Amino acid sequence: MDAGKKTKVLLTGASGFLGFNLMSLLKTEFELYGTYCANPPPIEGYRFIKLDVTSQESVREVLETVHPEVIIHAAAKADVDFCESNHDVSFGVNVRGSENLVKQAELIGARFIYLSTDLVFDGEEGDYSEDDNPNPTSFYGATKLEAEERVLNLSQKALVLRLSLLYGNRGHSNVGFVYRLLESLKTGKSFRLFTDQYRTPLYLEDVAEAFKGIVLDMNFRGLYHLGGPEMVSRWQFGQILAEVFGFSEKLLLPIKMEDLPEMLTRPRDCSLNSSRLCKQMNLQPLSVKEGLQKLKQVMSVNQQ
Ligand SMILES: NC(=O)c1ccc[n+]([C@@H]2O[C@H](COP(=O)([O-])OP(=O)(O)OC[C@H]3O[C@@H](n4cnc5c(N)ncnc54)[C@H](OP(=O)(O)O)[C@@H]3O)[C@@H](O)[C@H]2O)c1
């Protein structure tokens, strides 16, 4: 490879919350192409291309046109409630769509990185490492796990990266949990948060940092976890956010999962243990307070 040549990377789901942020965070690092499906992002200066992962024809056409060295597959039906009531669509996108892509990736010799989720676990134990047994409690989690297995069976050089709850700047079509929380507090509205649902929240810029190291490094193959360094409840997360952004904590209403019957099947503690990846690449993801302080700075620059 030429010394100055950048790696050509295709990022699926670039119109979504994570993908849209990765486009701006990685655009100088790689020769980056992003895909959208139904929501073309109306911005200049990025290479966006339409892709429907459920269509083999669309997958073939995009991969043959772009011919990436690496594919980061972030496209998914990622809304747990949507997946629960739309099994066919979510299976089609999350499982068959991933399979379509990885098969075509193999044909053109591209490395495949599949982004999965902490929701493959049932949340009974927490602090999950790559050696723990997954047991999804939602259809979303089940489709992501099924896709993980198919990807790893179909490609020897694939990497499956399970991410925990992400927070960061708003995306293009999807605004995310933190944005909804901030909007609520800004307008003086109260927001209900679980005191008994735990995750290891991860700041989006740390995902981008990780990609800078792992995209071409074939030592990162198989399954890895990437979450933040702290296990916090949604309620604790809200309290740190209120402190960092200067909102009244009184607007945060503590509730328990048992207060909402529809939450009873949701995992209680899906915290990820990410020491394998962090040690191997010397990565130190930000604490919730550090990440939210950074987010505050980014948001104030964007508003200027
Ligand atoms: N957000 C989190 O906290 C989190 C945590 C752990 C793991 N993850 C994983 O990270 C990835 C990104 O999540 P996200 O929150 O950014 O999701 P998101 O905002 O809902 O974005 C989903 C993306 O998938 C695209 N898409 C949907 N159907 C498609 C299809 N048939 N063909 C091609 N693209 C399609 C959407 O494109 P259009 O909008 O243009 O249709 C959009 O760009 C997912 O794989 C998710 O499982 C997310």
Side-chain angles (χ1 to χ4, degrees), residues 100 167 273:
N100 289 340
Y167 64 97
N273 181 324

Side-chain angles (χ1 to χ4, degrees), residues 231-290:
M231 179 190 95
V232 292
S233 69
R234 296 240 183 199
W235 162 250
Q236 288 167 320
F237 184 93
Q239 284 186 310
I240 301 171
L241 179 139
E243 186 200 324
V244 169
F245 281 82
F247 294 118
S248 166
E249 283 180 25
K250 289 186 189 140
L251 293 170
L252 305 173
L253 305 180
I255 53 166
K256 288 198 179 298
M257 286 168 72
E258 66 192 23
D259 296 333
L260 298 182
E262 66 272 26
M263 294 305 290
L264 283 177
T265 56
R266 293 285 171 88
R268 192 184 53 80
D269 178 358
C270 271
S271 49
L272 291 183
N273 181 324
S274 311
S275 50
R276 186 182 287 177
L277 181 82
C278 291
K279 275 191 196 136
Q280 219 172 309
M281 66 180 304
N282 204 13
L283 182 76
Q284 287 178 319
L286 298 178
S287 68
V288 171
K289 187 163 182 177
E290 290 165 337

Side-chain angles (χ1 to χ4, degrees), residues 13 15-18 37-39 51-53 74 76 116 140 144 164 166:
S15 51
F17 169 58
L18 171 61
C37 186
N39 299 294
L51 167 74
D52 180 354
V53 295
S116 189
Y140 166 66
K144 297 295 286 185
S164 58
L166 302 170

Side-chain angles (χ1 to χ4, degrees), residues 86-189:
N86 296 276
H87 282 196
D88 287 352
V89 176
S90 43
F91 190 89
V93 174
N94 294 357
V95 181
R96 291 213 186 84
S98 303
E99 198 172 47
N100 289 340
L101 269 173
V102 72
K103 281 182 177 165
Q104 193 63 36
E106 284 292 287
L107 287 178
I108 63 163
R111 168 159 154 85
F112 196 75
I113 301 180
Y114 175 66
L115 301 187
S116 189
T117 169
D118 52 3
L119 293 179
V120 297
F121 293 107
D122 60 18
E124 294 299 315
E125 301 287 333
D127 196 31
Y128 292 108
S129 80
E130 292 83 350
D131 300 324
D132 288 313
N133 286 332
N135 180 32
T137 63
S138 62
F139 193 74
Y140 166 66
T143 60
K144 297 295 286 185
L145 180 62
E146 179 68 30
E148 285 185 0
E149 288 165 0
R150 293 192 191 194
V151 165
L152 291 175
N153 280 335
L154 285 162
S155 171
Q156 296 292 311
K157 51 180 190 269
L159 163 67
V160 168
L161 191 61
R162 288 188 185 138
L163 302 171
S164 58
L165 179 71
L166 302 170
Y167 64 97
N169 213 359
R170 62 169 296 177
H172 154 64
S173 58
N174 179 320
V175 291
F177 155 72
V178 171
Y179 187 78
R180 286 201 311 276
L181 174 57
L182 275 172
E183 281 303 290
S184 198
L185 298 183
K186 249 191 243 168
T187 50
K189 287 192 201 125

